[in-house]
Amino acid sequence: MPKVVSVHSYRGGTGKSNFTANLATTIAQHGNRVGVVDTDVPSPGIHNIFGLDPENMHKTLNNYLWGESQIEEAAYDVSANVGLSGDSKLFLVPSSVRADDIARVLKDGYDVRLLNDGFRKLVKNLHLDYLFIDTHPGLSKETFLSIAISHVLILILRPDKQDYQGTAVTVDVARQLKVRKLLLAVNKVHSKLNVDALKQKIEESYDAPVAGIFPLSEDLVQLASEGVFCLRYPDHPISQEFRKVAQRIME
């Protein structure tokens, strides 16, 4: 049974797209066929991590939402870009980076029900084992849909008061939508923080498991979204943490 995994954060700047790219790639490395959809239509960016040049993005999620193409036409095989081989496959449906397209979405919006139909078609036609949804931060109709149809919802937060409050709201929404499996991931954790105490505090606050705690890393910043970190640095503590989270997803 294919799994739909939504990766979300209440606030921007949490490292959500990097997290999604690395986790999806880690799961693909196990011989899985994995799809990623960038539904952060107002501010897309995950295509950079997967090495997909906007000039080669002839069709995007926008074209599907506007009835101009099938969603499979906007799915690009980026497996070779990131160094995957064999049965491991990674597909990306990017959103358009063209200013006119972003302005059109912001002005006119789109029918979010089309997203649900598109997700189903992708899973079926690309024979996916996992579909990752990289969401837009905050709460919206699109967010509610992504949460509602997900088998797994991963909420990313930083050890920051604004993130704590926003995550509390999102956890409440997820429970009202009866999300099947909720996991928390704490990102950009300063080295001076007690990781065990932080994990305990967050799990008690939200009554939800912390699947991974990721340190604030200059190595990750230095890569600057030019590639998938866990493939460039497979032995790095961050890559090891992604493998731990991947196991929780594949259980």
Side-chain angles (χ1 to χ4, degrees):
M1 182 71 181
K3 279 187 180 178
V4 177
V5 182
S6 284
V7 183
H8 185 64
S9 63
Y10 183 81
R11 297 182 67 233
T14 58
K16 177 175 54 62
S17 292
N18 249 305
F19 185 97
T20 304
N22 278 275
L23 185 58
T25 302
T26 300
I27 288 179
Q29 283 182 295
H30 286 77
N32 291 304
R33 296 176 64 87
V34 178
V36 179
V37 182
D38 187 356
T39 65
D40 191 355
V41 183
S43 51
I46 199 171
H47 57 277
N48 291 303
I49 304 169
F50 288 132
L52 183 59
D53 192 321
E55 292 185 3
N56 296 324
M57 288 160 40
H58 306 297
K59 299 290 184 182
T60 63
L61 180 64
N62 304 59
N63 297 112
Y64 165 70
L65 294 174
W66 294 328
E68 298 169 354
S69 72
Q70 297 297 315
I71 195 165
E72 309 93 87
E73 296 177 61
Y76 298 86
D77 186 342
V78 293
S79 311
N81 295 20
V82 298
L84 292 173
S85 59
D87 294 332
S88 300
K89 288 293 179 185
L90 191 58
F91 300 91
L92 172 65
V93 177
S95 284
S96 174
V97 297
R98 294 181 63 237
D100 290 349
D101 291 343
I102 294 172
R104 180 179 171 187
V105 166
L106 293 175
K107 178 176 178 290
D108 300 333
Y110 57 86
D111 185 349
V112 295
R113 291 173 296 182
L114 284 171
L115 278 178
N116 196 13
D117 294 339
F119 295 154
R120 294 178 187 277
K121 288 176 183 175
L122 276 178
V123 168
K124 179 181 178 182
N125 295 334
L126 296 181
H127 309 289
L128 299 180
D129 300 302
Y130 294 87
L131 177 67
F132 279 80
I133 305 171
D134 183 18
T135 67
H136 182 63
L139 294 175
S140 63
K141 290 180 181 179
E142 172 268 312
T143 306
F144 296 153
L145 170 70
S146 299
I147 290 175
I149 67 170
S150 297
H151 299 94
V152 183
L153 171 65
I154 302 176
L155 292 179
I156 302 178
L157 66 153
R158 294 162 298 188
D160 175 276
K161 189 171 183 179
Q162 293 184 67
D163 280 26
Y164 289 149
Q165 292 177 346
T167 300
V169 174
T170 313
V171 167
D172 185 47
V173 168
R175 292 201 164 116
Q176 290 183 44
L177 292 172
K178 301 189 184 332
V179 67
R180 305 176 206 188
K181 185 174 186 177
L182 171 64
L183 298 174
L184 302 172
V186 192
N187 201 17
K188 302 185 180 181
V189 175
H190 196 278
S191 59
K192 291 183 179 179
L193 288 175
N194 183 314
V195 171
D196 292 334
L198 178 65
K199 182 174 185 287
Q200 182 179 353
K201 173 189 173 183
I202 289 175
E203 288 186 335
E204 289 177 353
S205 297
Y206 301 112
D207 191 24
V210 171
I213 294 184
F214 295 81
L216 185 64
S217 169
E218 289 188 3
D219 296 327
L220 185 59
V221 172
Q222 191 173 6
L223 186 58
S225 297
E226 293 186 4
V228 180
F229 186 86
C230 66
L231 290 178
R232 297 283 187 93
Y233 305 97
D235 299 322
H236 196 282
I238 285 180
S239 302
Q240 294 172 19
E241 199 72 3
F242 275 117
R243 287 194 285 273
K244 283 170 51 181
V245 179
Q247 287 300 326
R248 297 289 293 268
I249 302 297
M250 295 187 292
E251 287 175 353

